[in-house]
Amino acid sequence: MKRKLLSLTFLLLTSVCLSQDNSKIIDSLKRVIQSKPSDSIKIKAYSDLCWYYRTISIDSAFKYGNLTLKLSKETHNKSGEAQAYNDIGILHYDLADYDEALKQYRTSLKLRNVLNDTMGIAALYNKIGLIHQNTFKLDSAIFYATKALKIYEGKNHTRYVAYIKTNIANIYRGLKQYQKALDTHLEIAEVNKSINDNLGLTRTYNNIANAYLFLKDTIQSEAFYLKSIDLAVKHNYKKELAGLYNNYGGILHDMQKYTKAIEYNAKALKLRNELNDNYGITSTSLHLAGLYIDLKHYAKAKNYLYDGLNLSEKFNINELKMDAYDKMASFYAFKRIPDSVMYYKELYKSLNDTIYNSRITKEVAEIQEKYDTAEREKEIQTQRAEIAEKELKLNRKNTQIIGLVALAVLLFVLGYLLYNQQKLKNRQLEKENELKHALAEIETHNKLQDQRLRISRDLHDNIGAQLTFIISSIENLQYGFKITNDKLKDKLTGIGAFTKDTIYELRDTIWAMNKNEITLEDLQGRISNFIDKANLSLSDLNFNIKIDEGLSTKLVYTSVQGMNIYRIIQEAVNNAIKYGEASSIYVLIENKNNKIVFSIKDDGKGFDINDIEEGNGLNNMKKRASDIDADIVFNSEKGKGTSIILSI
């Protein structure tokens, strides 16, 4: 009886030294987290815990995978976020939950494309290809495997190139190109040996054995299975060993060594349950069911058979569903329940036609079991007579059917070519429109920038020069004429001071206009310059500005946001000096609840917030905060200073 063999596929992930005790590594990682490291180190530790818990506790693995994702999002760590989606996808893959695994991989792929993480992109292409391979969508599988292969060949990664070629060879096997698959695996084995890749060699020997089996060379197949098993036992490759036991059990089954076959499949099932390998559990359960059917131990066969059928349907594993339907038909044939035989034969045929896109075959399933009673023999003869009559009728229509099929194929090919041509034109139009839109945006941005620069130059060259002339004129009046009128002196001095303040304000405005964006570092420098000017008249003023260590000084605001933040801080400091008569002013910039908070505190006289009158700049600060969608809070008490908190 022909058997379906489970090919060993694998994920391109960081290699793990299997001789290490995972529990010790897990304890070490937990101690790292308890030491309260930086967020980036904590993200790495969470991700490693997700990986090491894979074969110990799937619930714990999901827990740390989700913690990695949560902290990465909170700290805007795109690299950590991409790795988290990748790790969670692997957990779903191990559970044969391929739809959810594919969703997680695609989300990770989008992030890694943004990060231009070439190696990460290649690994995800490979994993997506494996999902399509396991669900028997072989055209998509070879498409993604080839994309991964091109990247690794470009990077000269010999080991990874061998991994991808292994997957492609297994796809050839799925397409029944067995000699091509064998030649590729033999080539890969030599590469594995040259780089001392024992894990890769173990998998390659298994794949060579599979290829020989499909080519009906049982002697070579058994030899390579045993070579692979020896390597897996020597290096404690549990996942590979589970697959090898399963496959070797299959060849022993074909050789009718049933007892030994059951022994190896039982070993495989035990390991696969330990590894939570749903695909493997399904495959091995069906192997054991077939063995017990052949031994006519129907009670044991039934348990394994329904386990395999339910799992294959739950996880939508088409290849194994076909195997389950085939064995169910055989089981009910031995039990002599023809209705159930027909039912599962129809399911098998329907799924087989869908997978291979082949023509619909005859709708009569032949029951090949022997019946002891004369009545059953008579029933079989009647069925054969009916089938022969139907075949005669079908033969008369064969010529017409072949002509119609040929015409349909021709129309399909023409339609497909026209569709592809139109699709290519649409893509070209989309690309042209995207380019036009991008060029229009760039042109608009350049025009706006030119306009801003022109306005800032006009402000500096015209208004700045005029204000400087006013100051110079006032100073000439004061020193060129002996003005005895005190009121006039004070008035001229006030006008001069106001004009100087206006120049400072104008320079701040030009500074903001000349920038597309303003960083925290820019704000810190501008505020410090402003305080330095204040210190010229108030030498005993103690001012301190601090940016929290968790914040990057490269944090960016728009020029409008940055200018309004600066003006609010400037107004708060002016009020503290002018009205609060403060001797110490402290500005703190920190991250709270995903918002940047600017706190301006002084030790001045303070005021009653309920009795305050307009005119000291509070309304200006409220208006500026509202303009940039920020929140501002005033806290003050007479004799206890003032605190102004701006959150954006």
Side-chain angles (χ1 to χ4, degrees):
M1 182 183 292
K2 187 175 180 180
R3 307 289 174 196
K4 292 288 183 182
L5 294 175
L6 171 66
S7 66
L8 283 175
T9 55
F10 47 86
L11 300 173
L12 287 177
L13 298 165
T14 305
S15 298
V16 178
C17 181
L18 296 175
S19 62
Q20 279 188 292
D21 186 349
N22 281 6
S23 62
K24 290 181 180 179
I25 298 174
I26 288 169
D27 290 340
S28 298
L29 289 168
K30 288 182 177 179
R31 284 196 294 273
V32 170
I33 294 170
Q34 288 169 359
S35 67
K36 297 182 179 179
S38 65
D39 289 333
S40 60
I41 293 175
K42 190 182 289 186
I43 287 169
K44 180 66 171 62
Y46 282 154
S47 179
D48 288 346
L49 282 167
C50 174
W51 171 256
Y52 285 110
Y53 264 122
R54 276 179 66 214
T55 57
I56 298 174
S57 168
I58 196 69
D59 290 337
S60 296
F62 271 113
K63 171 188 171 183
Y64 285 106
N66 288 322
L67 282 173
T68 307
L69 182 59
K70 182 174 182 291
L71 184 56
S72 297
K73 286 183 175 181
E74 288 175 353
T75 57
H76 308 291
N77 187 329
K78 295 298 181 185
S79 179
E81 192 177 341
Q83 186 62 43
Y85 282 120
N86 177 82
D87 293 345
I88 294 169
I90 292 171
L91 299 179
H92 284 291
Y93 179 92
D94 288 344
L95 294 171
D97 186 0
Y98 296 130
D99 288 341
E100 187 60 32
L102 192 59
K103 177 182 174 183
Q104 300 293 330
Y105 288 157
R106 283 176 172 163
T107 305
S108 180
L109 183 61
K110 288 179 182 177
L111 289 167
R112 282 183 167 162
N113 273 313
V114 172
L115 295 168
N116 199 25
D117 178 5
T118 308
M119 292 297 289
I121 291 167
L124 284 164
Y125 282 151
N126 180 58
K127 294 181 188 111
I128 292 170
L130 289 174
I131 289 177
H132 289 305
Q133 187 176 340
N134 286 348
T135 54
F136 225 65
K137 298 172 182 175
L138 300 183
D139 53 345
S140 296
I142 203 159
F143 171 77
Y144 283 103
T146 303
K147 285 170 77 76
L149 180 62
K150 286 180 180 178
I151 293 174
Y152 288 130
E153 286 179 336
K155 297 286 185 180
N156 292 320
H157 284 295
T158 305
R159 185 187 300 268
Y160 290 164
V161 167
Y163 286 167
I164 300 299
K165 284 186 175 179
T166 297
N167 291 341
I168 292 173
N170 287 332
I171 296 170
Y172 289 146
R173 193 210 66 197
L175 294 169
K176 300 185 179 180
Q177 299 178 26
Y178 304 129
Q179 188 60 51
K180 195 170 183 179
L182 175 61
D183 293 342
T184 305
H185 286 310
L186 289 169
E187 175 190 336
I188 293 165
E190 295 305 313
V191 175
N192 294 145
K193 290 176 186 177
S194 69
I195 61 175
N196 296 318
D197 183 1
N198 290 313
L199 178 59
L201 190 59
T202 302
R203 292 165 171 165
T204 303
Y205 281 159
N206 173 73
N207 288 322
I208 292 170
N210 289 346
Y212 273 122
L213 188 60
F214 280 106
L215 290 168
K216 299 182 180 179
D217 189 341
T218 308
I219 294 173
Q220 287 283 18
S221 180
E222 184 176 14
F224 276 97
Y225 277 138
L226 292 174
K227 279 185 179 183
S228 189
I229 288 171
D230 288 343
L231 274 173
V233 170
K234 180 179 178 181
H235 297 284
N236 194 28
Y237 299 145
K238 287 187 177 181
K239 186 173 182 180
E240 286 67 28
L241 194 57
L244 286 163
Y245 284 153
N246 180 81
N247 292 354
Y248 187 48
I251 197 172
L252 291 169
H253 187 174
D254 290 341
M255 297 166 68
Q256 297 184 357
K257 298 178 181 180
Y258 298 124
T259 303
K260 198 171 180 182
I262 288 173
E263 176 190 341
Y264 274 93
N265 276 284
K267 287 181 180 180
L269 187 60
K270 181 182 177 183
L271 281 172
R272 284 174 163 173
N273 276 309
E274 289 176 7
L275 295 168
N276 292 316
D277 178 4
N278 290 315
Y279 185 99
I281 293 167
T282 307
S283 175
T284 306
S285 296
L286 292 172
H287 280 199
L288 284 165
L291 283 163
Y292 282 118
I293 289 173
D294 288 349
L295 290 170
K296 298 183 180 181
H297 295 169
Y298 299 125
K300 289 184 177 180
K302 185 177 181 180
N303 291 334
Y304 286 114
L305 193 53
Y306 274 96
D307 284 347
L309 177 62
N310 291 336
L311 285 169
S312 67
E313 290 182 336
K314 177 180 179 181
F315 297 109
N316 195 30
I317 310 172
N318 287 335
E319 185 178 6
L320 296 183
K321 271 199 286 188
M322 286 177 60
D323 192 22
Y325 294 152
D326 186 43
K327 285 186 170 65
M328 288 294 274
S330 298
F331 172 79
Y332 282 112
F334 281 115
K335 297 287 286 182
R336 299 181 182 177
I337 305 175
D339 290 344
S340 295
V341 175
M342 295 292 289
Y343 173 74
Y344 283 107
K345 283 285 186 183
E346 286 296 326
L347 286 179
Y348 176 89
K349 184 175 75 67
S350 176
L351 184 56
N352 184 63
D353 289 345
T354 301
I355 291 173
Y356 293 105
N357 294 317
S358 61
R359 64 183 181 84
I360 298 175
T361 58
K362 293 181 296 182
E363 294 183 327
V364 179
E366 296 179 357
I367 303 173
Q368 298 180 349
E369 290 74 26
K370 295 181 179 180
Y371 296 94
D372 296 329
T373 64
E375 184 179 352
R376 179 56 64 186
E377 289 290 342
K378 182 179 178 181
E379 183 180 343
I380 291 174
Q381 292 298 326
T382 302
Q383 289 179 352
R384 287 176 178 171
E386 291 176 355
I387 291 170
E389 185 179 350
K390 289 180 180 179
E391 286 179 345
L392 286 172
K393 292 179 180 179
L394 287 172
N395 286 336
R396 295 169 187 170
K397 298 178 180 179
N398 277 347
T399 304
Q400 293 178 344
I401 291 173
I402 291 171
L404 289 172
V405 169
L407 179 61
V409 169
L410 179 61
L411 291 174
F412 173 78
V413 170
L414 290 174
Y416 181 74
L417 291 173
L418 289 172
Y419 169 76
N420 272 353
Q421 186 178 13
Q422 186 59 44
K423 192 174 180 181
L424 181 61
K425 287 182 179 178
N426 290 340
R427 284 180 182 171
Q428 290 174 340
L429 288 172
E430 286 177 4
K431 292 293 182 184
E432 288 175 4
N433 288 334
E434 288 175 2
L435 181 61
K436 287 178 182 178
H437 182 68
L439 290 172
E441 285 186 346
I442 292 170
E443 186 178 355
T444 302
H445 179 270
N446 289 338
K447 286 180 179 179
L448 288 172
Q449 183 65 17
D450 290 342
Q451 188 174 17
R452 288 169 63 184
L453 290 173
R454 187 170 61 255
I455 293 171
S456 65
R457 283 196 301 268
D458 290 344
L459 288 172
H460 181 272
D461 296 342
N462 297 328
I463 298 176
Q466 292 172 9
L467 291 172
T468 303
F469 175 75
I470 292 171
I471 293 171
S472 177
S473 298
I474 291 171
E475 288 176 349
N476 288 336
L477 285 171
Q478 288 176 323
Y479 293 106
F481 298 92
K482 293 182 180 181
I483 300 173
T484 57
N485 189 321
D486 290 337
K487 287 185 178 181
L488 180 57
K489 280 184 179 180
D490 291 341
K491 192 66 175 177
L492 289 172
T493 300
I495 291 171
F498 176 77
T499 306
K500 288 178 181 179
D501 288 341
T502 303
I503 288 176
Y504 291 139
E505 295 287 335
L506 181 63
R507 286 175 181 170
D508 288 336
T509 301
I510 293 171
W511 167 72
M513 287 186 68
N514 282 335
K515 286 180 172 288
N516 288 325
E517 53 189 32
I518 295 175
T519 65
L520 278 182
E521 189 175 21
D522 294 332
L523 282 173
Q524 185 182 19
R526 204 69 187 176
I527 293 165
S528 297
N529 289 340
F530 164 68
I531 293 303
D532 289 342
K533 294 183 183 71
N535 276 331
L536 293 175
S537 57
L538 297 168
S539 59
D540 59 344
L541 177 65
N542 180 21
F543 178 83
N544 188 17
I545 179 169
K546 180 182 178 184
I547 298 177
D548 189 70
E549 292 180 358
L551 278 178
S552 169
T553 55
K554 303 301 181 185
L555 182 64
V556 173
Y557 293 102
T558 66
S559 58
V560 175
Q561 289 176 320
M563 192 60 187
N564 277 291
I565 293 169
Y566 170 67
R567 290 298 191 205
I568 290 170
I569 295 173
Q570 185 185 47
E571 188 71 42
V573 172
N574 274 332
N575 285 351
I577 296 171
K578 185 176 180 180
Y579 300 109
E581 300 177 2
S583 60
S584 293
I585 300 173
Y586 180 63
V587 177
L588 173 63
I589 307 172
E590 57 187 335
N591 189 339
K592 285 185 178 179
N593 300 324
N594 292 327
K595 284 193 173 185
I596 307 303
V597 178
F598 299 82
S599 303
I600 308 98
K601 300 179 181 179
D602 66 68
D603 62 352
K605 295 189 300 183
F607 58 87
D608 187 341
I609 197 71
N610 296 318
D611 295 337
I612 193 68
E613 296 179 1
E614 296 182 1
N616 64 349
L618 296 188
N619 285 337
N620 287 340
M621 286 189 273
K622 287 181 181 179
K623 178 64 168 59
R624 289 185 183 278
S626 175
D627 288 345
I628 58 174
D629 294 325
D631 298 322
I632 190 164
V633 177
F634 302 95
N635 297 316
S636 185
E637 189 176 342
K638 287 186 176 180
K640 295 185 178 181
T642 300
S643 172
I644 298 173
I645 300 171
L646 175 70
S647 304
I648 182 169

